[in-house]
Structure formats: structure tokens, C-alpha cells
């Protein structure tokens, strides 16, 4: 199984993407650029240096990352101080824009359907117009009544275009990664593994191109990154270590392997035990 690793990171892996030549990795407080074999060619702190950088995606020479600021002093956890999309030049990792998503403040005040912030992003396509756009996966409050996932659609100017609520059952604190399959137009959502009785066993969902319903779901833990390659092939994720010494892994898999592994109903630790021995030690995607 082909794979690439990134070593010596302070915080955990949030996501990755590729332009076909380089890999780009989000590690909460930094953006890392590597060769396909894992040699680091660039690393920068998050655009504002104070925000939590979540999932990322490559589009048209730029890296887009979903980010949130620290919780406000004296407020409950999740009362975030900022909601932004960080935009980096893929060649240099220089910050070229920060899109402020101020409409998310109203979302988190209302919390009528469990919205608890933004966590990941992919370049998407408007289901009606066919125009390119940004789709952001959202966190949800951890309670049995919040049994859907929330996707927010924005233009590249940071203006809200649409909002989708997808019935999935209860995922462990919501969407951790989102990516659009370039061939089928479907979206793939990943979540953390089950921790409470009301959480779904499934942790990987294929969602229809119009973002209305789940077309397939799997018990396949890959919350730290998921990238669609087309042809039923994907980069999935593992991570290891502790804060201060994190290691992130991207490895190549396919739909047949995902379906077969899903039948074993493994959590994150079980997935690590199964996947690590399959790695090709020559390293490189």
C-alpha cells in the first residue's frame, strides 16, 4: 500500500490535498507542502497565527483552508471568535486572502440544528447552476437529537450561497473532512469513530451531487484527511504520536478495500493495526 508521512508536527493532522505534483497538509497550526514521497519543501503557520486550521483543498493554484478562532473568554466551548477561509498561493504558501464568514455567527447563536462551527472545505459545484464554488463541512453538537450533517456553500468571494442538511444519523461531532469526487460529482464526508451509544458506527459517507442524501456509508476511520482521486481511488489518513511529536500519514486505497474493511467494523485504533502492516516501506504516493 503506497503511503507518505510527515513527521515532527506540534498538533494533529487535520487534512490534506494534492495538485498532482505536491501534497499539502494541514496540522491545526500550520500548512505543510511536501513532495509525493514526503520531503518537506515548505511550511508556514496559519494565516492569522491564532486560528485553528481544519481541512484544506487545492483549487486553481490556491490552497483553501477552513479556520476558526479560539473560543471567546467566558463563553461555552464552541462560541468561536472567528470563522474564515484562509487562501494560500500553492507555489509559495504565501497568504493571498482571508475570507470572513461572518454569517456563521448567527448560525452558532441559533444552533437550531446543532451547528457548531466549520471544520473542512472542498472545491465544489453548485447543483443548480453548475458553477464552481466552495463547500464547507460543519461540526455539530454532540447530542442524539442532531442526526444530520451540515454543508455550507460559498462563492470564492466568501458570500453564502446555500445551506444543505443531510440526514446521516448522529456522527461524532460532525464532519471532519469533505472532498468532491471529480468523476462522479459525489461528495465524501468523514467523521470520528463512534464513542457514545448514540453515535453512528459508520464514519465515511458518500453523498449525492445535489447534497440531499447519503448514497453509501462505511465503517472506515479516516478523520484526518480524505482525498478523491477518481476511478474509485482515494488517499485516506492515519496519524500517530502525541502533541509536540505528531506524525500524519496519507495512503492510497480503493473502494473495494474500503467496503471489505468496513465489514470488520473497526474504530480508529483497529484501523491503525490493520493499515500500518500494509504500508509499502519504499514510501511515496
Amino acid at each position: 500500500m503506497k503511503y507518505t508521512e510527515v513527521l515532527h508536527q506540534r498538533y494533529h493532522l487535520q487534512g490534506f490535498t494534492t495538485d498532482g505534483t505536491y501534497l499539502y497538509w494541514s496540522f491545526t497550526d500550520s500548512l505543510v507542502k511536501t513532495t509525493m514521497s514526503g520531503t518537506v519543501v515548505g511550511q508556514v503557520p496559519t494565516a492569522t497565527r491564532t486560528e485553528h486550521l481544519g481541512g484544506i483543498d487545492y483549487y486553481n493554484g490556491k490552497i483553501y483552508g477552513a479556520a476558526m478562532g479560539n473560543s471567546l473568554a467566558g463563553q461555552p466551548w464552541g462560541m468561536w471568535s472567528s470563522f474564515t477561509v484562509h487562501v494560500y498561493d500553492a507555489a509559495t504558501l504565501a497568504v493571498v486572502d482571508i475570507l470572513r464568514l461572518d454569517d456563521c455567527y448567527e448560525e452558532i447563536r441559533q444552533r437550531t440544528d446543532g451547528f457548531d462551527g466549520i471544520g473542512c472545505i472542498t472545491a465544489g459545484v453548485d447543483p443548480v447552476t453548475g458553477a464552481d464554488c466552495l463547500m464547507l463541512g460543519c461540526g455539530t453538537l454532540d447530542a442524539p437529537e442532531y442526526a444530520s450533517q451540515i454543508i455550507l456553500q460559498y462563492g470564492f468571494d466568501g458570500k453564502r450561497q446555500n445551506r444543505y442538511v443531510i440526514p446521516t444519523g448522529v456522527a461524532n461531532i460532525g464532519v471532519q473532512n469533505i472532498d468532491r469526487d471529480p468523476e462522479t460529482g459525489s461528495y465524501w464526508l468523514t467523521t470520528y469513530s463512534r464513542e457514545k451509544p448514540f453515535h453512528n458506527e459508520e464514519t465515511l459517507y458518500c453523498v449525492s451531487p445535489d447534497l440531499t442524501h447519503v448514497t453509501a456509508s462505511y465503517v472506515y476511520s479516516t478523520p484526518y484527511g480524505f482525498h478523491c482521486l477518481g476511478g474509485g481511488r482515494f488517499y485516506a489518513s492515519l496519524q500517530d504520536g502525541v502533541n509536540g511529536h505528531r506524525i500524519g500519514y496519507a495512503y492510497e486505497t480503493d473502494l473495494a478495500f474500503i467496503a471489505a474493511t468496513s465489514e470488520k467494523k473497526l474504530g480508529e485504533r483497529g484501523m491503525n493495526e490493520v493499515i500500518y502492516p500494509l504500508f509499502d516501506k519504499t514510501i511515496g504516493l
Side-chain angles (χ1 to χ4, degrees):
M1 184 175 276
K2 295 180 179 179
Y3 82 104
T4 296
E5 64 185 12
V6 175
L7 310 174
H8 312 306
Q9 297 300 311
R10 291 205 303 168
Y11 298 115
H12 84 70
L13 180 62
Q14 297 285 342
F16 45 64
T17 187
T18 183
D19 58 8
T21 302
Y22 294 98
L23 287 164
Y24 304 86
W25 311 69
S26 164
F27 280 93
T28 305
D29 67 338
S30 64
L31 179 67
V32 183
K33 180 178 180 178
T34 74
T35 65
M36 300 302 285
S37 61
T39 300
V40 175
V41 296
Q43 181 164 347
V44 295
T46 54
T48 63
R49 298 179 182 265
T50 60
E51 288 184 302
H52 170 298
L53 184 62
I56 59 176
D57 200 26
Y58 173 87
Y59 176 80
N60 197 24
K62 297 174 182 177
I63 306 297
Y64 292 82
M68 292 196 300
N70 295 327
S71 295
L72 296 171
Q75 297 297 320
W77 176 256
M79 293 302 292
W80 298 96
S81 59
S82 63
F83 304 87
T84 59
V85 173
H86 296 177
V87 187
Y88 303 84
D89 178 84
T92 65
L93 301 188
V95 179
V96 296
D97 202 359
I98 298 178
L99 307 177
R100 294 181 56 87
L101 311 183
D102 291 339
D103 51 292
C104 286
Y105 287 113
E106 187 62 29
E107 293 274 341
I108 208 163
R109 280 195 291 266
Q110 293 180 359
R111 285 185 165 177
T112 54
D113 52 10
F115 175 85
D116 197 38
I118 58 173
C120 50
I121 193 168
T122 186
V125 173
D126 185 294
V128 176
T129 68
D132 290 351
C133 60
L134 296 171
M135 298 288 189
L136 279 80
C138 300
T140 52
L141 295 173
D142 192 22
E145 61 264 35
Y146 302 121
S148 297
Q149 304 312 306
I150 302 164
I151 307 298
L152 304 180
Q153 178 181 328
Y154 289 87
F156 290 94
D157 57 1
K159 294 182 179 180
R160 174 81 65 91
Q161 295 178 339
N162 213 332
R163 187 180 195 273
Y164 306 90
V165 179
I166 305 159
T168 58
V170 183
N172 184 2
I173 68 173
V175 184
Q176 297 303 306
N177 266 270
I178 180 172
D179 200 44
R180 180 178 180 271
D181 189 305
E183 291 187 349
T184 66
S186 298
Y187 293 86
W188 289 79
L189 314 180
T190 75
T191 72
Y192 286 127
S193 295
R194 185 180 191 181
E195 293 183 353
K196 299 177 182 178
F198 57 81
H199 291 156
N200 288 350
E201 280 192 304
E202 293 83 2
T203 55
L204 177 64
Y205 304 86
C206 183
V207 175
S208 60
D210 61 359
L211 291 159
T212 60
H213 62 282
V214 173
T215 61
S217 60
Y218 305 91
V219 185
Y220 194 90
S221 179
T222 174
Y224 306 109
F226 194 79
H227 180 78
C228 301
L229 298 169
R233 297 163 49 248
F234 311 92
Y235 291 156
S237 61
L238 298 176
Q239 78 155 352
D240 205 348
V242 296
N243 285 347
H245 301 280
R246 287 291 186 184
I247 306 171
Y249 300 91
Y251 66 92
E252 188 172 341
T253 187
D254 59 33
L255 193 55
F257 184 84
I258 288 172
T261 305
S262 177
E263 296 179 1
K264 300 177 181 179
K265 299 187 181 301
L266 302 172
E268 184 177 330
R269 180 176 296 180
M271 284 290 292
N272 287 9
E273 293 173 353
V274 167
I275 300 299
Y276 281 140
L278 300 179
F279 279 173
D280 180 348
K281 299 307 179 183
T282 59
I283 201 167
L285 290 169

